Amino acid sequence: MLLHKSVEHDSRVRRAARELAESGHTVTVLHLPPARGQLDGQLDGFAVRSVTPPAWVRRRLPSILYRLVFFATFVVALRRLRPDAIHAHDAAMLAPGWAGARVAGAVLVYDSHEYAVGVPYRERAWAALVSTLERLLVPRCTLVITVSEGIAERLQERYRLPRRPLVVRNLPDPRAYDADFQAVDLRVELGLPVEAELVLHLGAAALDRGCEALVGSVAAMPGVQLLFLGGDRIYAARLRRLAADLGAAERVHFREPVPVSQVLAYACQASVGVSLLEDTCENHRLALPNKVFEYLAAGTPVVASDLPELQRTLADRPEAVLVDPADEAAIAAALRTALDGPRPALPSPFLWPAEGARLIAAYAELAAGGDRRGAAVVLVRNGVSHDARILREARLLSAMGFETTVVGVATSAPGELGSERLDGFRVARIDPGGASRRALARLRGSTSRLPAAAAGTGVAVTQAAAPPLQPHSPRRRLRRLLTTADYYRRGIGMVRRLRPRLIHANDYNTAWIGAAGKLLTGSRLVYDAHELWADRNLRPEPRPWLLLCEALFVRVADEVITTSPGYSQVLARRYRIPPPRVVRNVPAWRAGPRPQRDPGAPPLAVYFGAVTRNRGLAPALRALALVPELQMRFVGPEAWGYAAELRQLAVELGVAGRLQILDPIPPEQAASVLADADLGLALIEPACLSYRMTLPNKLYEYVAAGLPVLSSGVPVLAGEVRRHGVGLIADPADPAALAAAIRAMLDSAAQARFREAAARLATETVWEREQLALAEVYRPAEPDSHGG
C-alpha cells in the first residue's frame, strides 16, 4: 500500500491493511512520516516501511524536485518488494503506483479517499496535475475503490470506467479502538457539572467545516458547552476570538487531538457530535466523514450537513439530524432536537466488518485472476437509446450477473451523446475524432463565410456552397472509410480495456470489433445477424466483400443468432453452418387497456420504425389520399433525409394536414404512440432478400398494443400475419389495394376480430420466452460458470 503521509493517523489505511493482513495477504505499507524510518516495523499486523527522503533533500530541493525524489523512492521500494498488487491511496500515489506496477508486474488498485478533482486546491498547477493523472491512470487501474456511492458514480462517468468503483465506506472498526482505555472525564476536566450538555467536534477545526457557524449557534444556546477535540492552532485562536465577541468564551473549549484508538472513549461522553462540512466544493457534497460514524459507534447522536451523500445515507436515521451548515439558527434547532432525542442504539449498523468483507472479496477476485469480473460487452453501431433489442440484451446480461457495457456511437439525437448508466448497465458511445475528424472536415469542403464588409450590416450575402458529395463519390467513400476505421480502432481499444468474458456483436458493422476482441482477450463471441447484411437495403460495399466477411464472422463466432426464421435458413444454406438460433424481436412491454376515444375522432393508421425507403411509406401516403377520413402517423429515426421527401409528397397529394411524422422515442414508450391507433403498417417492400426474409419487431409491437396489422406480402412477415389472423396482406406497390385493405380493416367487426387475434398472439409471443433462448446463448460465459 502506498500513502503520501504517515500511516499512524490514517484510520482508513490502517483498517484496510489490517483486514488484508488478517485474511492471509502479506501487506507492506510504504508511507511518508515526518522522520525517515519512523514507525518502520510492524503495526496492527502489517509491515510498515518509511520511504521519506533524507531531511537534507527536503531542505535543499525545490518542492517540485522533492516530489520527484519521493516518487522515485516509492518506485525503487516497489521494485525491491515486487508485490502482486499495488494499492495506491489517493491521487498523489497514482503516478508512483502506476510506475511501480509497470516495473514490478503488479496489478494496480486505486483507492480514492475523496473526489480529488472536486477539491479546491490552493495551487492551480497541482489541481491540473491531479486531474491529468486521474484521467490518464484511473482507466488503467485493475480495481478502483472509493468511499461513497456519489464519488463512485462521478468516477465511473468521468473516466468511462467499465465497472462502477467498489464502495468501501470509512466506517469504524471496533478492533481499532482500545476498549480498556479509561478516558479523562471531559466534564470534570472542563470544570462542568455532570449534567452539562456537551457538543463535540472531532477532528480538525478548520475553514469550510462550519466551525464558525457552530460557535455562533452554541453562543445562542444558554448552558450548552462546545468542545473542539483537535484542530489548527491559528484557526482555533480565530474561533476563540469569535466566541469571546459573542459572549460565549467560557462555553467554547479546545483540546489536543487524541490517538485513533481513544476516539470512541471520548466521543461517548458527548451529548451530541457534529460534522458540518460546508457546501463549498463537490468533494464535500459527496463526502461521508469518518467522524459521523464514530459518533454513532460511540452511541452519540449526530448533527451533520444536509449534503447529498449524507442525505442518501442518514436521511431515515432518527439519531442523525441533517442541517444547512451555514445557517446558525437551523444548527441551533438541530442541536436542540438531537440533545432532546434518544441516543443511538448499540451496536451501530455503520461498522467496518461488512466493508472489510467487501474489500477481501475484491482482492480474492484479483488473486483468482478475476480482473475480467464477468464483464460483457454489447456492440452496436447506433445511439443505443432507441434500439429495443440492444436494451433487452443488456438488461438480460445484467440480470445474469454480468458487468455489462453497451458500446454504441455518439449521435446528435437527444440523450445519445456521451456515456450514461441505464437500468444496471453502462452505455459508452464512441465518437470518432482527433486526426480522423480533421481529415473528415477537410473532405466535406470549405463552408461559405460571410465577407467582412457585410458583417454586422444586416445585408444577406449569398455565396456558392460546396457541392454536396454524391452517394458513391470517391470523397464520400474515403470519408466513410476513415470514419469506420476510427470506429473500429476505438471499439477494439475499448474491448481490450474491458477484457469481457462475452462479446455480443450486433450485425456486420460491429463484427470486426467482436472478432478482434475474441482474438485479443479470448472472449466468447456471439454474432447477431439482425438482417442479411450482404443483401440489405442500400449497402454501399461490394456484395462479394460482404459475403466474404460474414463467412468469416459466422465461423469465428462461438454462436450465431438471428431475428427471423427466414434469415436462419439463408445463413445456414449460404455458409454451410447449422441453422442459427432465432431470437425474435418481441417487446418486453405490454399495453394497458385501450383508451376511450371520442366517437367522432378520425381513424388512425400508425407506422413505428425507421423512416426510410422501401418500408412502404410513400405508397401508404398515396393510399391516405384515397381514404379521406383517415389520419396517419409515422414514428421513428429518419435516414437519408427521407422525412423531408415524405412531407413534400404529402403536400403534393393534399394530405399534409392528416400526416404526423414524429421523432423516435424510447422503446418502453411505444405504447404511448400506438394506443390510440386503429391499425399498424408493416408494408416492407421486397427490395432485397433481407427485406423478403424479414420478421420485423414492429409486427410484435403492434400486436403487443392490440393493433390489427396491414402487411405487405413478403413471405415470412405475411406468413405470420396470415397464420395468426392478426390483419390483412396487400401489395405496397398498389395504393388502391392498400386503401381497400385499410377500409376493410376499419370495419368494426373486422377490428374486433383482428384485435382478438392480436391479443391471443400477444399472450403467446412474449419476451420472457425469447429471453430463455438468448440466456442459453450467454450461459457458457456466465460469471458463475467460471467460478466468478
Side-chain angles (χ1 to χ4, degrees), residues 49 73 625:
R49 183 178 299 179
T73 61

Side-chain angles (χ1 to χ4, degrees), residues 614-616 619 680-696 699 709-723 727-734 737-738 741:
N614 297 325
R615 302 295 177 93
L681 302 174
L683 300 173
I684 308 295
E685 300 175 35
C688 57
L689 181 61
S690 186
Y691 279 17
R692 292 198 293 275
M693 295 291 105
T694 188
L695 188 59
L699 167 66
V709 181
L710 177 56
S711 166
S712 64
V714 294
V716 181
L717 170 60
E720 192 80 347
V721 171
R722 287 194 187 98
R723 185 178 311 111
L728 297 179
I729 313 300
D731 182 357
D734 185 347
L738 292 177

Side-chain angles (χ1 to χ4, degrees), residues 272-276 295 301-305 319-323 331 334-335 338:
V272 62
V274 293
S275 174
L276 296 173
Y295 295 138
V302 176
V303 170
S305 305
E319 64 270 34
V321 183
L322 303 182
V323 66
I331 294 171
L335 288 172

Side-chain angles (χ1 to χ4, degrees), residues 39 423 547 646 767:
L39 287 180
D423 297 339
L547 290 169
L646 292 175
W767 171 244

